[in-house]
Amino acid sequence: MVITTALASDTAARPDAASPPTRSLVGACLAHAIHDGYTDGLYAFLPVWQAQFGLSYAALALVRALYYGTMGALQVPANLVLRRRSHRFALVSSIVLAASGLAVVALPLGLAGLCVGLVIAGMGSSIQHPRASALVDDAYGSAAQGPLGIYNFSGDLGKAILPALIALLLPIIAWHDVMWLLVALGAVVCIAVAALTPRRRYAQGMATHSSRAGGRDGFALLTLIGALDTAVRMGFLLFLPFLVREKGGASATVGIALALLFIGGALGKVTCSWLGTRFGAIGCVAATEAATAILIVAVLLLPLSVTLCLLPLLGIALNGTSSVLYAAVPTLTRRDTARAFAIFYTAVIGSGGLAPVAFGALADHMGKTAAMLAAAATALVILPLVAMLRRPLSQARIPE
């Protein structure tokens, strides 16, 4: 019933003129929040699944990777399959598919059902990032940088709300029932997204894309910068709990440290998006990457009390760069923005999966301090790459 209602709205009689850009932005943000909430909310279920199915830590990681790996690998193929369908259809389908996957997980089908359901949910989430980003860009055209930052921030809201809600519910009701509540929430969001998003692309966004010239040569460089920026972030997150413990912090202190970092990260996505619009992408990214390197070294060397004070600032630098980078994707592509976002997100998600493995191997051989210094050095490597973006962005007629 939900699927039928949501997809039927793709052919509603309401004209596109009745869907101003703000409505599309809200729809894209809702889709981003529910998908990112699903993605990080699964972490709360891992201890329950480990106990129920008798999984080792390695097996548990593989089960988790079924969702994350599917989401990352299918960004480009999913966008290709749905390239001729409207943003509304694509986003509604993404939520329906993700919620259906969680419904399979909720069924009493054992470990096999869990694995199949996570793959289906990952397929749904693979659709959202490129098409929601393209929807915002189509709606706002050359003024999309700020709205894309808001869209980027909305994912953090989902990551903050759903995992916390799941953690509160699991001690009270069975995990299967919690999963069904997530499915119901997905159905509500699906209907809201269908009501908010337009049937067709905005003419202004498409016209803007077709007029952009000279920027595409920098897209590969931008994608590399995005992958490296994600590697720095994931590498630091891998070692932060151990660093806090090493400085004398208890388990509660580790939680506080992560909260401070994530609060700063959410703030960074909004503030850096505004700063990038006001002062230019080149200077903003260079400043955040330099600050990231300096602050990583600082929290590594300074006592715990000072480290906790610096973590919100580090969170701003670590996460803020991503909003500026996402906003630059449409400026460096001429026509198919959704495909460009799919490629970009594939690189970013892939880096997020591989970087902790690489930094972890380095820590095993050379120690945690060396691995964290390597993460700081990676941030510095980005600086000359960002400078090389100046010419492509200038040719795209975007202020730097």
Side-chain angles (χ1 to χ4, degrees):
M1 178 65 182
V2 172
I3 297 176
T4 304
T5 302
L7 293 183
S9 66
D10 191 51
T11 57
R14 178 176 54 85
D16 291 344
S19 247
T22 302
R23 290 173 62 95
S24 292
L25 176 60
V26 173
C29 287
L30 285 174
H32 196 189
I34 190 67
H35 279 286
D36 277 23
Y38 279 173
T39 300
D40 279 24
L42 293 179
Y43 283 111
F45 290 100
L46 295 183
V48 180
W49 294 339
Q50 184 182 44
Q52 177 164 345
F53 300 111
L55 300 174
S56 65
Y57 285 109
L60 197 64
L62 288 174
V63 169
R64 175 67 178 82
L66 290 174
Y67 179 96
Y68 196 85
T70 303
M71 177 178 65
L74 295 184
Q75 297 276 321
V76 175
N79 179 67
L80 183 63
V81 169
L82 295 173
R83 68 189 185 280
R84 297 187 183 279
R85 305 307 299 263
S86 69
H87 292 315
R88 175 192 288 176
F89 182 89
L91 291 181
V92 167
S93 298
S94 74
I95 301 171
V96 168
L97 198 56
S100 298
L102 296 188
V104 173
V105 170
L107 294 173
L109 299 176
L111 182 59
L114 171 64
C115 294
V116 171
L118 290 177
V119 170
I120 295 173
M123 292 170 62
S125 289
S126 70
I127 301 169
Q128 182 270 139
H129 279 124
R131 293 306 294 267
S133 302
L135 169 61
V136 176
D137 183 61
D138 281 352
Y140 287 88
S142 60
Q145 184 167 345
L148 280 171
I150 296 173
Y151 161 77
N152 195 20
F153 169 74
S154 67
D156 285 80
L157 291 180
K159 291 176 182 178
I161 295 172
L162 277 191
L165 178 62
I166 293 167
L168 288 174
L169 291 175
L170 281 176
I172 303 173
I173 59 178
W175 74 266
H176 293 278
D177 295 330
V178 176
M179 194 65 72
W180 282 116
L181 289 176
L182 294 179
V183 173
L185 178 62
V188 173
V189 173
C190 182
I191 294 172
V193 169
L196 289 166
T197 52
R199 291 173 297 164
R200 294 182 293 275
R201 297 188 177 187
Y202 288 85
Q204 70 176 54
M206 294 302 292
T208 302
H209 296 167
S210 62
S211 65
R212 291 170 182 155
R216 195 174 186 107
D217 292 341
F219 177 66
L221 182 59
L222 180 74
T223 303
L224 174 60
I225 292 172
L228 291 174
D229 177 67
T230 301
V232 174
R233 183 163 56 254
M234 295 303 181
F236 179 78
L237 281 170
L238 177 66
F239 299 113
L240 178 59
F242 301 98
L243 179 67
V244 172
R245 284 294 187 92
E246 189 177 87
K247 291 176 181 287
S251 297
T253 311
V254 172
I256 293 172
L258 289 170
L260 290 171
L261 187 75
F262 291 145
I263 289 171
L267 179 62
K269 287 190 175 183
V270 175
T271 56
C272 289
S273 175
W274 178 82
L275 289 172
T277 304
R278 184 71 178 267
F279 299 106
I282 299 298
C284 187
V285 173
T288 54
E289 295 297 348
T292 294
I294 294 170
L295 289 170
I296 287 177
V297 175
V299 300
L300 184 61
L301 299 177
L302 295 173
L304 179 60
S305 58
V306 182
T307 293
L308 293 175
C309 293
L310 291 178
L311 283 177
L313 295 177
L314 179 54
I316 291 174
L318 273 176
N319 269 25
T321 312
S322 63
S323 288
V324 183
L325 297 176
Y326 293 156
V329 170
T331 73
L332 296 174
T333 53
R334 292 182 180 177
R335 285 178 292 275
D336 196 346
T337 307
R339 180 175 179 273
F341 274 116
I343 295 171
F344 186 85
Y345 276 110
T346 298
V348 168
I349 293 172
S351 175
L354 296 176
V357 178
F359 284 118
L362 181 61
D364 288 338
H365 287 84
M366 300 182 64
K368 173 175 58 61
T369 299
M372 294 187 71
L373 289 174
T378 303
L380 293 178
V381 168
I382 295 174
L383 295 179
L385 298 178
V386 172
M388 294 169 61
L389 272 179
R390 185 175 299 277
R391 182 176 180 182
L393 287 175
S394 177
Q395 291 176 333
R397 298 179 182 177
I398 299 298
E400 301 166 38

